[in-house]
Amino acid sequence: MRARLSDIAQQAEVSEATVSRVLNDRPGVSADTRQAVLTALDVLGYERPARLRKRSAGLVGLVVPELDNPIFPAFAQIIETTLAQQGFTPVLCTQTPGGVTEDEYVEMLLDRQVSGIVFVSGLHADSTSDPERYRKLLARPLPIVLVNGYAENIEAPFISCDDRAAGELAVAHLVALGHKKIGLISGPDRYLPVQRKIEGYRAAMRRLLNLSDAQIDEMISLSLFGVEGGDAAASRLLDKGVTGFVCGSDLMALGAIRAVRQRGLQVPTDVSVVGYDDSPLIAFTDPPMTTLRQPVRAMAVAAVRALVDEIKGHPAPHSEYIFRPELVVRGSTAAHSG
């Protein structure tokens, strides 16, 4: 369908002569007016002339885990927006259990000749996986950035939230409220972020409550990530009289709240719960969740900046950039009454 100048002029509230100048890429039109005409084209469903289309600087792969946990769409959205602002076209690859694997996605992205790849909580976070897959990409050479996870001897930028600090901050908050029986529930400890959170939890429990390693071990319950995993892990610790929970994710924290309520207890009157992520909507749970906020925007922007620098041949130092989480106190924690 051919664009009629009169329709576009009416939509953009300019003259037909102005529309003609914009479509032929002639001078003498302000940037605002030019944008108004292009927007009118888009709104009316006309295709922009080839000379006016923005050229992409290239494709960039973005590999994230399943989108069930709202923290991953939050990362994806900001990374995609920031890439687009830099002129790159993002290609989002989401994994699901039993679906396309990370390695298969990488093969597909290489076939599409991407300029680089951002991995969020990928196999680089799993201490049992082989980091050789990342070395092969770097040897091509293909710029990569790895978010929330770390592996030795990979010459690439890593962007992480300080999980160790998160474990310590959560325990310190609960101790300040008078809790002494504080449990940790998290996902499998083959994941480096889980290992770090456990280290922070242990250090704080030793320092603030003077507990032995054996006593601390009794208060750690690992399960699967997610609401069901949180429910199961919390149930085991409620049997031991735990009054405060440090959780590996907000979803696990929701599972812990469910486990508490199934016993006829209340949050935070009887049991306090601290989440991790501060994912979207978590401020609106019942009760609103006290949690450790990952600085998602700062981390996502840093990841894109590091990748674009790599692509343009100005690589940042290949080390781990660690961002500090923030304790956000809401309604799921309260003073221990016992």
Side-chain angles (χ1 to χ4, degrees):
M1 183 168 68
R2 281 188 61 78
R4 283 173 45 188
L5 290 185
S6 57
D7 293 341
I8 301 164
Q10 189 177 352
Q11 178 71 30
E13 298 179 350
V14 296
S15 69
E16 290 184 27
T18 299
V19 173
S20 177
R21 275 203 296 275
V22 172
L23 295 182
N24 291 303
D25 207 17
R26 300 254 165 79
V29 182
S30 74
D32 286 348
T33 303
R34 184 177 297 275
Q35 189 55 52
V37 171
L38 293 176
T39 302
L41 272 180
D42 298 340
V43 168
L44 294 170
Y46 295 126
E47 207 172 320
R48 293 186 183 193
R51 73 176 80 83
L52 298 180
R53 283 179 216 150
K54 210 167 159 186
R55 274 189 59 77
S56 171
L59 301 176
V60 168
L62 170 56
V63 183
V64 298
E66 78 291 334
L67 298 180
D68 295 355
N69 185 338
I71 200 67
F72 297 128
F75 267 113
Q77 187 174 16
I78 298 169
I79 290 171
E80 287 187 317
T81 304
T82 313
L83 280 168
Q85 287 167 350
Q86 298 278 347
F88 289 91
T89 304
V91 181
L92 180 63
C93 304
T94 57
Q95 299 172 73
T96 52
V100 181
T101 65
E102 181 178 309
D103 290 338
E104 288 166 341
Y105 269 134
V106 167
E107 285 304 314
M108 287 158 56
L109 291 169
L110 292 175
D111 287 343
R112 296 187 71 173
Q113 298 182 312
V114 293
S115 302
I117 304 177
V118 178
F119 295 90
V120 178
S121 298
L123 291 170
H124 63 286
D126 186 341
S127 61
T128 64
S129 74
D130 184 2
E132 187 58 30
R133 54 173 52 84
Y134 300 113
R135 291 192 199 104
K136 283 180 182 168
L137 291 175
L138 292 166
R140 291 180 73 93
L142 182 80
I144 63 172
V145 172
L146 302 133
V147 179
N148 277 341
Y150 182 73
E152 292 286 339
N153 305 319
I154 295 177
E155 288 297 308
F158 289 87
I159 309 286
S160 298
C161 189
D162 192 338
D163 289 282
R164 201 176 280 107
E168 292 195 28
L169 283 166
V171 171
H173 172 61
L174 291 170
V175 169
L177 291 171
H179 293 271
K180 290 187 172 56
K181 289 202 163 184
I182 300 167
L184 171 73
I185 63 172
S186 193
D189 62 0
R190 70 173 192 270
Y191 295 108
L192 184 73
V194 175
Q195 293 170 16
R196 288 175 168 178
K197 204 161 284 154
I198 292 172
E199 284 171 20
Y201 166 82
R202 281 184 182 283
M205 293 289 278
R206 274 195 297 266
R207 189 178 74 249
L208 300 173
L209 296 175
N210 208 23
L211 296 181
S212 68
D213 284 344
Q215 288 171 308
I216 295 170
D217 286 342
E218 285 292 303
M219 311 289 260
I220 298 173
S221 182
L222 303 182
S223 181
L224 297 174
F225 283 113
V227 176
E228 288 73 20
D231 189 332
S235 292
R236 290 195 288 270
L237 292 181
L238 286 169
D239 290 338
K240 298 177 182 179
V242 162
T243 65
F245 283 106
V246 174
C247 305
S249 73
D250 289 333
L251 292 186
M252 292 195 84
L254 290 175
I257 291 172
R258 188 167 78 183
V260 170
R261 286 180 174 158
Q262 280 167 346
R263 296 183 179 225
L265 300 172
Q266 290 185 313
V267 176
T269 313
D270 303 304
V271 178
S272 288
V273 177
V274 181
Y276 176 79
D277 282 335
D278 196 27
S279 37
L281 302 181
I282 217 66
F284 306 104
T285 56
D286 176 29
M289 182 90 68
T290 294
T291 189
L292 272 301
R293 175 184 292 158
Q294 285 201 67
V296 174
R297 177 168 298 280
M299 291 171 68
V301 169
V304 172
R305 194 167 290 150
L307 187 77
V308 172
D309 285 349
E310 294 274 330
I311 291 169
K312 291 182 175 174
H314 314 298
H318 294 154
S319 58
E320 188 177 18
Y321 300 88
I322 295 180
F323 289 74
R324 190 167 174 83
E326 177 192 351
L327 177 68
V328 181
V329 179
R330 297 195 183 106
S332 65
T333 52
H336 178 47
S337 52

